């Protein structure tokens, strides 16, 4: 099936003819080039979403085809920077899915109380909102002082922002609502002070947090954890990479440790489903049982 | 995979918040043996719950599921795009994304339609129903360009004509018809039914 699109493209040359097999070759070559030349490995990211964002960059650069984009990217580091921005999805919020945090308080916290020391990994923590939310929760449950939180992401720019703990002031209303619905026990404004257009969160919330760069696609486990959060990260990976990362999580969890996934992610479609049991009907909280 | 088989594998249906009745009418007119995988993308509030799934299940014997990441796409099932995510269609399964809203919408109808066109080509059916936005037009155009079937609710009979009117205008090949007629038409479309790997 060959249908020509982009008929009004201004550039000279033969008309662009869409061919899905050829498109896949072009995408694979481009991602291979990006990996070998720049070291960023997007080769196992979810195809439809990568394709969508690559085409956005083709348009953004005023080009016509993925092969043209490949040449541009390989020869122009600035174009690579722009592509990197297109390929990173860092959206996050504090107490994202409040019902998840409520369920965590009710079902997981009692379990954590039985441990003398608790290690928690936030894999793909982005700008840190999730980590600060968990720090607040643990503080209120009286568990913070025996907890250590490891917050990692592939992207060092977001980690830098996470360390600062300054979040947009205009989102505090939304976060306050989330905090209350998540079962917060105090007044949310106790945790931050307004600074210009940012909300600076109390640095004491991160006294037990270690931020570091970690690539889920290539790096290994670095400790044994009681809880691993990996929310809204795996959706960007293809099934092969998802299974690889699930293996990493499985190897990194203590027996009966808890794996927390995003609201629309499921272990059901991975090879590791038999190793866990669901601990909540509504939320994606799993316990390692095998 | 049959490169040139006659028939369709997936049907994507787009509508905005007011389109619940239209989607329910559409589903209740499709026989339980309808063989395509039907994906419904409806704009709604980001905190809206699983209620849409049950509202649709009331009207069809086909199983209705809310999409989760990497869920396999099976013939004869209805899938609902979850709120606050984009739903992308890959060959044989779904992927979700939390990229920025497109035209203020997440789920975006265009995102799902474009991915359906790219992954299923001429074996995709795109349906645009009543709606108060122009989301869906770009995606329907792509489905048409890839040789898929494109159907639009007659704007004159739609509760909100903006979305179907924009789609009909941008896609000359689209078959434009009132809802009842559309349901009968869709029910008769041939199904490819080729087994596909997940
Ligand atoms: C949408 S954010 C999720 C943030 C947070 N967990 C939440 O649910 O709100 C996805 C994050 O995954 C990170 N990421 C993507 N690929 C990764 C990889 N290979 N290794 C580690 N982190 C990765 C991105 O940099 C981004 O910050």
């Amino acid at each position: 099936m060959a249908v020509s699109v982009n008929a009004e493209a201004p550039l000279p040359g033969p008309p662009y003819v869409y061919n899905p097999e050829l498109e896949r070759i072009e995408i694979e070559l481009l991602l291979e080039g990006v990996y070998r030349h720049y070291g960023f490995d997007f080769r196992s990211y979810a195809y439809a979403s990568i394709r969508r964002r690559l085409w956005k960059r083709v348009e953004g650069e005023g080009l016509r085809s993925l092969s043209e984009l490949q040449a541009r990217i390989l020869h122009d580091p600035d174009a690579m920077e722009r592509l990197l921005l297109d390929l990173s999805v860092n959206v996050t919020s504090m107490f994202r899915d409040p019902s998840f945090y409520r369920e965590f308080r009710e079902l997981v916290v009692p379990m954590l109380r039985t441990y003398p020391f608790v290690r928690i990994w936030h894999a793909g923590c982005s700008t840190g909102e999730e980590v600060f939310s968990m720090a607040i929760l643990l503080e209120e449950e009286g568990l913070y002082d025996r907890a250590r939180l490891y917050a990692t992401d592939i992207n060092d720019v977001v980690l830098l922002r996470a360390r600062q703990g300054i979040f947009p002031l205009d989102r505090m209303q939304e976060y306050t609502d989330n905090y209350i619905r998540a079962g917060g026990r105090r007044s949310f404004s106790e945790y931050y002070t307004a600074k210009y257009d940012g909300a600076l969160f109390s640095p004491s919330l991160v006294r037990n947090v270690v931020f570091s760069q970690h690539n889920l696609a290539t790096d290994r486990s670095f400790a044994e954890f009681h809880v691993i959060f990996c929310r809204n990260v795996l959706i960007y990976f293809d099934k092969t990479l998802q299974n690889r990362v699930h293996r990493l999580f499985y190897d990194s969890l203590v027996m009966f440790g808890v794996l927390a996934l995003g609201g629309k992610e499921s272990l059901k479609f991975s090879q590791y489903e038999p190793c866990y049991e669901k601990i909540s009907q509504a939320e994606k909280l799993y316990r390692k049982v095998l | 995979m049959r490169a040139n088989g006659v028939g369709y594998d997936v049907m994507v249906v787009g509508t905005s918040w007011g389109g619940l009745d239209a989607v329910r009418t559409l589903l209740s007119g499709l026989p339980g043996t309808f063989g395509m995988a039907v994906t419904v993308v409806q704009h709604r509030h980001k905190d809206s719950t699983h209620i849409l799934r049950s509202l649709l299940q009331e009207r069809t014997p086909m199983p209705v599921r809310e999409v989760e990441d990497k869920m396999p796409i099976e013939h004869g099932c209805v899938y609902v795009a979850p709120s606050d995510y984009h739903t992308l269609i890959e060959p044989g399964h779904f992927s979700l994304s939390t990229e920025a809203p497109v035209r203020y919408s997440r789920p975006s109808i265009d995102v799902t339609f474009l991915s359906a066109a790219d992954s299923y080509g001429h074996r995709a059916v795109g349906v645009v129903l009543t709606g108060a936005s122009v989301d869906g037009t770009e995606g329907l155009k792509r489905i048409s360009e890839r040789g898929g079937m494109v159907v639009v609710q007659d704007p004159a009979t739609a509760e909100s004509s903006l979305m179907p009117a924009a789609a009909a205008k941008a896609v000359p090949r689209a078959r434009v018809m009132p809802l009842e007629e559309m349901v009968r038409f869709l029910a008769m479309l041939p199904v490819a039914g080729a087994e596909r790997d997940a």
Side-chain angles (χ1 to χ4, degrees), chain A residues 41-50 53 87 89 123-124 153-154 214-218 230-246 248-249 265 269, chain B residues 69-70 90 93-97:
Chain A
D41 192 354
F42 291 105
R43 293 172 302 173
S44 297
Y45 280 49
Y47 185 72
S49 162
I50 278 282
R53 287 177 279 165
L87 293 182
V89 181
D153 201 282
I154 189 178
H214 181 279
N215 184 345
L216 289 167
T218 51
C230 188
R231 310 194 68 218
N232 305 302
V233 179
L234 293 173
I235 53 178
Y236 298 102
F237 299 168
D238 70 12
K239 287 197 274 186
T240 312
L241 182 54
Q242 282 193 356
N243 277 317
R244 210 199 91 91
V245 176
H246 274 305
L248 176 71
F249 291 160
E265 292 169 322
F269 313 116
Chain B
D69 185 53
K70 304 298 179 288
E90 312 250 13
H93 66 268
F94 293 100
S95 282
L96 298 179
S97 160

Side-chain angles (χ1 to χ4, degrees), chain B:
Chain B
M1 180 167 144
R2 279 191 263 161
N4 279 310
V6 261
Y8 302 95
D9 280 314
V10 298
M11 180 164 110
V12 286
V13 181
T15 186
S16 64
W17 175 228
L20 180 61
D21 284 343
V23 179
R24 290 188 3 136
T25 305
L26 191 159
L27 287 184
S28 58
L30 298 178
T33 53
F34 188 71
M36 287 182 228
V38 182
T39 303
V40 176
V41 186
Q42 184 183 12
H43 294 161
R44 56 200 197 282
H45 187 264
K46 74 180 174 74
D47 290 331
S48 60
T49 48
H50 316 294
I51 185 91
L52 181 58
R53 196 205 68 77
S54 13
L55 288 173
L56 298 185
Q57 185 66 84
E58 285 169 5
R59 295 301 185 92
T60 171
M62 288 189 270
V64 183
R65 303 176 182 145
E66 191 175 61
V67 174
E68 291 188 331
D69 185 53
K70 304 298 179 288
M71 186 180 267
I73 295 175
E74 291 171 18
H75 286 97
C77 296
V78 177
Y79 298 92
V80 180
S83 58
D84 212 21
Y85 290 81
H86 294 303
T87 292
L88 293 120
I89 291 182
E90 312 250 13
H93 66 268
F94 293 100
S95 282
L96 298 179
S97 160
T98 57
E99 278 163 74
V102 178
R103 294 182 199 285
Y104 309 103
S105 301
R106 194 171 57 204
S108 146
I109 299 169
D110 278 333
V111 169
T112 303
F113 278 32
L114 290 168
S115 64
D118 289 339
S119 297
Y120 281 89
H122 63 280
R123 298 193 318 278
V125 181
V127 180
V128 171
L129 301 177
T130 172
S133 98
V134 296
D135 192 12
T137 293
E138 197 194 333
L140 198 73
K141 206 167 140 212
R142 177 84 61 91
I143 294 177
S144 173
E145 284 166 358
R146 299 279 195 265
M149 172 64 70
V150 282
V151 187
V152 174
Q153 184 179 6
D154 179 0
T157 66
E159 212 166 303
S160 186
S161 63
L162 188 59
M163 201 151 99
K169 181 157 172 253
V171 188
R173 262 189 65 220
R175 291 165 194 253
V176 179
M177 48 187 116
L179 199 53
E180 288 67 30
E181 191 187 329
M182 177 195 285
V183 175
R184 284 195 298 274
F185 174 77
L186 294 174
M188 284 179 348
L189 287 177
V191 176
E195 283 306 314
R196 305 184 50 83
D197 44 337

Side-chain angles (χ1 to χ4, degrees), chain A:
Chain A
M1 184 85 238
V3 179
S4 90
V5 289
N6 244 2
E8 63 282 324
L11 299 169
Y16 180 84
V17 175
Y18 179 75
N19 170 335
E21 282 83 31
L22 190 56
E23 183 185 47
R24 190 175 274 274
I25 294 174
E26 287 181 286
I27 289 179
E28 286 175 3
L29 290 174
L30 197 164
L31 296 179
E32 183 68 25
V34 164
Y35 172 62
R36 290 183 39 192
H37 187 56
Y38 293 103
F40 301 109
D41 192 354
F42 291 105
R43 293 172 302 173
S44 297
Y45 280 49
Y47 185 72
S49 162
I50 278 282
R51 171 175 56 200
R52 181 181 147 65
R53 287 177 279 165
L54 288 176
W55 274 110
K56 245 165 115 181
R57 183 71 350 237
V58 170
E59 268 171 40
E61 302 289 322
L63 302 171
R64 276 187 322 176
S65 72
L66 293 158
S67 301
E68 287 175 1
L69 183 65
Q70 177 184 323
R72 167 83 49 98
I73 297 285
L74 290 180
H75 293 286
D76 178 358
D78 293 341
M80 182 63 222
E81 281 295 316
R82 294 191 288 272
L83 178 66
L84 212 49
L85 283 180
D86 291 336
L87 293 182
S88 336
V89 181
N90 301 116
V91 281
T92 182
S93 35
M94 292 190 77
F95 295 100
R96 184 179 194 163
D97 312 322
S99 52
F100 167 85
Y101 286 88
R102 220 176 36 236
E103 203 81 337
F104 188 92
R105 266 185 214 262
E106 276 169 30
L107 300 175
V108 182
V109 163
M111 241 169 73
L112 299 185
R113 286 193 203 292
T114 65
Y115 296 118
F117 194 78
V118 182
R119 270 186 307 273
I120 300 178
W121 180 13
H122 291 270
C125 67
S126 188
T127 40
E129 283 82 340
E130 180 185 281
V131 183
F132 278 80
S133 305
M134 194 43 53
I136 288 173
L137 188 155
L138 294 171
E139 191 84 271
E140 294 183 2
E141 297 294 337
L143 279 172
Y144 189 86
D145 282 315
R146 46 175 146 136
R148 172 137 300 162
L149 288 74
Y150 297 80
T152 65
D153 201 282
I154 189 178
N155 179 336
D156 48 5
V157 179
V158 294
L159 283 173
L160 211 69
R161 292 192 29 212
R163 280 197 189 92
Q164 292 172 336
I166 303 174
F167 303 126
L169 203 52
D170 60 13
R171 296 198 67 180
M172 287 307 126
Q173 190 51 51
E174 177 197 344
Y175 293 172
T176 305
D177 289 349
N178 285 356
Y179 168 78
I180 294 166
R181 287 196 286 148
R185 306 228 161 118
R186 298 185 198 162
S187 148
F188 189 58
S189 57
E190 280 177 33
Y191 293 106
Y192 66 88
T193 45
K195 277 248 152 70
Y196 309 104
D197 53 356
L200 170 65
F201 278 73
S202 163
S204 81
L205 285 172
V206 285
R207 63 187 187 275
N208 291 347
V209 180
V210 181
F211 291 97
S212 68
Q213 197 176 19
H214 181 279
N215 184 345
L216 289 167
T218 51
D219 294 341
R220 295 164 187 240
S221 172
F222 52 95
E224 256 208 330
F225 299 98
H226 301 94
V227 182
I228 297 177
F229 284 82
C230 188
R231 310 194 68 218
N232 305 302
V233 179
L234 293 173
I235 53 178
Y236 298 102
F237 299 168
D238 70 12
K239 287 197 274 186
T240 312
L241 182 54
Q242 282 193 356
N243 277 317
R244 210 199 91 91
V245 176
H246 274 305
R247 162 157 208 159
L248 176 71
F249 291 160
Y250 177 80
D251 290 341
S252 309
L253 272 175
V254 301
M255 187 54 86
F256 304 121
V258 172
L259 177 63
L261 301 179
K264 301 293 169 216
E265 292 169 322
S266 176
L267 266 180
K268 216 190 289 171
F269 313 116
S270 96
Q271 287 166 1
Y272 282 80
E273 186 191 16
C275 306
Y276 293 86
E277 75 182 14
K278 270 182 107 165
I279 46 183
S280 159
Q281 269 322 302
E283 306 298 333
K284 297 299 161 40
L285 287 164
Y286 302 89
R287 175 171 30 218
K288 171 171 164 178
V289 289
L290 217 123

